[in-house]
Amino acid sequence: MPGTSYAAVSRAVRPSDAAPWYRRDAPWLAAVAAGYTVAQLVLVRPGMGLGWDESVYVSQVSGHAPAAFFSAPRSRGISLLVAPVAGWSSSTPLLRVYLAVLTGLGLFLALRAWRGLLPVRVLVLGGGLFASLWVTLFYGPQAMPNLWVALAALAAVGCFLRTQADRSRPGPLLGLAASAALMALMRPTDAVWVCLPLLSALVAVPRWRHGRALLALLGGLAAGAAEWVIEAYVSYGGLARRLSAGSDVQGGLGWHNAVVDQVRSLSGRTLCRPCTGAAPSTAVTLWWFVLPVLAVLGLVVAVRARRATPTALLCACAATGAFPYLFLIGYAAPRFLLPAYALLSLPVAGALLFLVSAPRGHWRTLAVTAVAVGIAGHLAVQAVVLERLVDRTTAGHQRWARVAAALHDHGVRAPCVLTGNDPTTPSIPVAFYAGCASADTGGNNENTTPAALVRTARRMPVAFLTTEDGGPPRYGRDWRRVHLDGRVYAYLAR
C-alpha cells in the first residue's frame, strides 16, 4: 500500500537500511540509559530506606521479616524482580543500585524496540525527557511496579509496529509477547488498559489483522497475569471477587474526576489521598499542561511527514492507560501516569524537534531559544521537586528505622508482631525494619482479629504503634505504654 502511513512504517524497518542499528543507534540510546542510571544513583541516593509499599513487595521474598499482608490490587511481579537481591541480602543500598541498573537497561531496550520506526534524534530526546521527570527518577531505584509497566508499554508498541512491518521475523513477535507479559506481571489491569488500542487494531482494522501478533499479545498478557488470576481463585474466591476487593481497597472504582488531584500531586506528593490543599505553583505544573499540547503537535507533524501510525498508536495507548487514573479512581499518585508519560515522550520529542527545525531566520532563532529555555527551566523544576521529595522521604524512613531500633531496646525482637494504623508511623514498614510480622484488625490490610492478637501476645512480643495523643487498643487496655521516638509511642503486651 504505497503512500500510506503503514507503508511508511514498513519501509522504515526494512533490513536494507544504510547501516546496522547497533552502529547507528546503540551508542546514543546507551548514553541515555546510562545517564538515567547515574542520575538515579546521584539524585535519589541508594541510602534511602524502603517505603510502605516497597516493604510489602520486598517482604514477600526477603528473609529479613515475615511477609506482609498482600492486598487484592497488588501483583507479585515486582517481588519476583527484586528476589535475586532481596532473597539473600537485607541491604537496601544494594537493592537500590540493582534496580537503578536494571531500569537503565529497561529504558535502553524499550527505546531499542523503536529503532527504524522513528528517527534516532527523536528516540534520544524522548528517552531523555522521560528519564528526567522527577517521578521517573524517584521510582527508578524503588521496588514499585509502575515504571516497569511504563517501560514495557513503550517496548510493546514498538514491537507491535515491527510485527506489522515485517511479518516474517519472529523477533518482534517475541518482543511483543515479552513486553505484554511484563506489563501484566507487574499490574494486570494496567496492562489491559494500555493494550486496548493494540487489540482493537488487530481485531477491527482489516489491514492490521495479524493472527500471530494477536496470539503473541494475548498470550503475553495471559502468561503475565496467570499468577494473579490463579491467586484470585486460591485466596479470594474467584477473579470477580478479587477485582471487587481491589475496587474496595481503592475506595470504589467508578466515575471520579481525579485530574485536579493529579495536578496537586505534582509538587512531590507520592500519594494524594485525600487530595486536599492548594495546587502547586505554575512553574511546577506547567509541563503537565504543555505535555498533551506538544503530543498533539507531534501527531500533526507525523501526519504531515506521512508516518502517522507510530505516533497515533503511542497517543492512543497513552490515553487508554491514563484514563482509569484520571477518571475512574478517587485519589492520585504521580506514579500512576508513568506509562502515559513514557508513551507520550516520543511524540513530544518529535514536536520539539519540529519547532527547532524551522527554516533559518528570525522564527527559527525564536523557536530554538524558546525550546532551550523551556527545557532548561523544566529540568530545573524537576530537580528541585526531586531533591525536596528525596530529603523528605529519607527523613521519614530514618524515623521508621529509629522507631524499630527503639522497639528492639524495649525487647520487641523477632519473632514479634506490630500493629496500629497511624499514617505517620504505619506498622507495616516499621515491622519490616524491626524484623517483625505486621497485623491489622481493620481497614484495607485487615489480616487478623483482636482475639488472635491477644493469643499471639502470650507467646511473643506484640506492640501497638500510636502517637502521643493515642490510647491503647480495646483489646490491650492493660498494655504497657512506652515512648519510642518524637511523638511516636507504643503499647506493649505485658
Side-chain angles (χ1 to χ4, degrees):
M1 298 177 65
T4 67
S5 57
Y6 175 78
V9 172
S10 300
R11 290 194 301 270
V13 295
R14 283 178 181 170
S16 60
D17 284 352
W21 74 270
Y22 52 82
R23 295 180 187 172
R24 185 178 62 255
D25 303 354
W28 293 103
L29 302 184
V32 173
Y36 177 46
T37 292
V38 171
Q40 293 177 57
L41 297 176
V42 172
L43 299 176
V44 182
R45 299 189 294 272
M48 186 176 69
L50 293 179
W52 185 334
D53 292 298
E54 287 186 290
S55 64
V56 174
Y57 290 120
V58 173
S59 70
Q60 308 303 310
V61 294
S62 173
H64 175 69
F69 177 73
F70 210 74
S71 61
R74 300 187 188 276
S75 182
R76 298 186 183 274
I78 198 67
S79 298
L80 295 176
L81 188 71
V82 302
V85 171
W88 59 271
S89 174
S90 61
S91 171
T92 300
L94 179 61
L95 182 62
R96 296 278 187 236
V97 173
Y98 165 74
L99 289 171
V101 172
L102 214 57
T103 49
L105 177 61
L107 179 61
F108 172 76
L109 294 176
L111 293 174
R112 177 187 166 183
W114 284 86
R115 66 185 188 275
L117 293 170
L118 293 174
V120 178
R121 61 183 182 276
V122 173
L123 302 181
V124 171
L125 179 57
L129 289 173
F130 176 64
S132 65
L133 292 175
W134 72 258
V135 63
T136 310
L137 286 164
F138 184 70
Y139 285 105
Q142 293 200 47
M144 296 290 284
N146 309 85
L147 179 61
W148 290 100
V149 175
L151 296 174
L154 185 60
V157 179
C159 290
F160 173 86
L161 289 166
R162 299 183 73 81
T163 64
Q164 295 290 338
D166 188 349
R167 301 192 176 195
S168 63
R169 298 174 59 202
L173 290 169
L174 294 174
L176 177 60
S179 300
L182 180 58
M183 277 192 285
L185 185 64
M186 293 295 169
R187 291 189 70 88
T189 53
D190 285 15
V192 173
W193 280 103
V194 168
C195 290
L196 276 178
L198 306 183
L199 292 167
S200 300
L202 287 170
V203 173
V205 181
R207 65 184 177 88
W208 285 93
R209 288 174 185 165
H210 183 357
R212 290 194 297 166
L214 181 61
L215 181 63
L217 183 55
L218 291 176
L221 291 173
E227 188 280 329
W228 197 83
V229 173
I230 292 171
E231 188 178 43
Y233 286 95
V234 172
S235 303
Y236 295 89
L239 183 59
R241 288 191 178 183
R242 182 167 195 176
L243 291 170
S244 177
S247 175
D248 292 340
V249 168
Q250 294 173 333
L253 297 180
W255 184 255
H256 300 279
N257 188 345
V259 175
V260 176
D261 292 344
Q262 286 290 348
V263 172
R264 288 195 178 106
S265 72
L266 294 176
S267 61
R269 300 173 68 176
T270 56
L271 182 63
C272 210
R273 184 182 189 183
C275 207
T276 56
S281 66
T282 302
V284 172
T285 61
L286 182 61
W287 72 271
W288 202 77
F289 293 101
V290 171
L291 180 69
V293 176
L294 288 176
V296 171
L297 176 60
L299 179 58
V300 172
V301 171
V303 171
R304 293 180 58 184
R306 305 179 70 82
R307 58 167 186 261
T309 302
T311 303
L313 274 179
L314 284 166
C315 292
C317 291
T320 56
F323 179 80
Y325 291 116
L326 292 176
F327 300 108
L328 297 181
I329 195 169
Y331 63 98
R335 66 181 184 272
F336 292 163
L337 297 182
L338 274 168
Y341 299 153
L343 293 164
L344 292 179
S345 64
L346 300 185
V348 167
L352 292 176
L353 289 170
F354 168 78
L355 291 175
V356 301
S357 61
R360 294 185 181 276
H362 174 73
W363 287 110
R364 181 170 184 176
T365 301
L366 182 62
V368 170
T369 302
V371 170
V373 171
I375 291 179
H378 168 72
L379 294 177
V381 169
Q382 298 299 307
V384 169
V385 173
L386 179 64
E387 180 183 17
R388 293 175 179 173
L389 175 59
V390 169
D391 289 344
R392 187 169 65 249
T393 303
T394 301
H397 295 175
Q398 289 173 344
R399 183 174 65 252
W400 294 347
R402 291 195 302 270
V403 170
L407 285 167
H408 287 168
D409 292 340
H410 286 285
V412 181
R413 296 176 177 272
C416 49
V417 177
L418 300 189
T419 186
N421 54 11
D422 184 82
T424 61
T425 315
S427 60
I428 289 178
V430 174
F432 183 81
Y433 279 58
C436 300
S438 57
D440 204 334
T441 60
N444 293 333
N445 297 300
E446 180 180 353
N447 62 345
T448 190
T449 63
L453 276 178
V454 172
R455 289 194 299 270
T456 301
R458 296 170 186 162
R459 53 187 175 85
M460 69 176 65
V462 175
F464 177 85
L465 300 181
T466 186
T467 60
E468 184 178 20
D469 302 325
R474 287 186 298 175
Y475 52 84
R477 297 185 184 278
D478 61 339
W479 289 8
R480 177 168 56 96
R481 187 174 191 255
V482 298
H483 177 246
L484 299 178
D485 180 78
R487 299 187 69 251
V488 182
Y489 286 75
Y491 286 90
L492 308 183
R494 296 181 183 276

